[in-house]
Amino acid sequence: MEAKQIKANTESDYSSIVQSSSFQTLLSEKKKFIIPITIFFFCFYFALPILTSYTTVLNHKFIGSITWAWVFAFLQFVMTWVLCMLYSKKAARFDELAAQVVEEGGKS
């Protein structure tokens, strides 16, 4: 009997948390950040193999014998670090929102 009651309480707690405005705000904020960054990442990441396979645009010289393909490949490392730093800074806001969700969930 106790297990059924615990399960019912857990499900009702979860339902109330999911419907809370603070949880909806957390989801909204994460989606506004993660979806555009993910789209940008995939476009930038797949641009190199697509451009090198189907065009000669990146074959032109940049400096000396270094072509634009090498510059683009290096920029992918830079892009990864920048996106990681952006996410680390934004994660602090997500943590605040998650703490607010937990706090409000404890009051129910």
Side-chain angles (χ1 to χ4, degrees), residues 38-96:
T38 303
I39 291 169
F40 170 76
F41 172 81
F42 280 121
C43 290
F44 196 85
Y45 179 79
F46 285 114
L48 179 62
I50 290 169
L51 289 174
T52 56
S53 297
Y54 300 108
T55 70
T56 58
V57 126
L58 297 177
N59 292 348
H60 298 83
K61 302 259 186 233
F62 173 67
I63 295 175
S65 61
I66 299 172
T67 63
W68 281 102
W70 286 101
V71 174
F72 196 99
F74 175 74
L75 286 175
Q76 288 192 342
F77 288 99
V78 174
M79 178 225 17
T80 302
W81 281 99
V82 168
L83 293 181
C84 286
M85 288 187 289
L86 284 173
Y87 183 79
S88 295
K89 290 182 180 185
K90 195 71 171 172
R93 173 71 177 142
F94 298 152
D95 290 343
E96 290 172 9

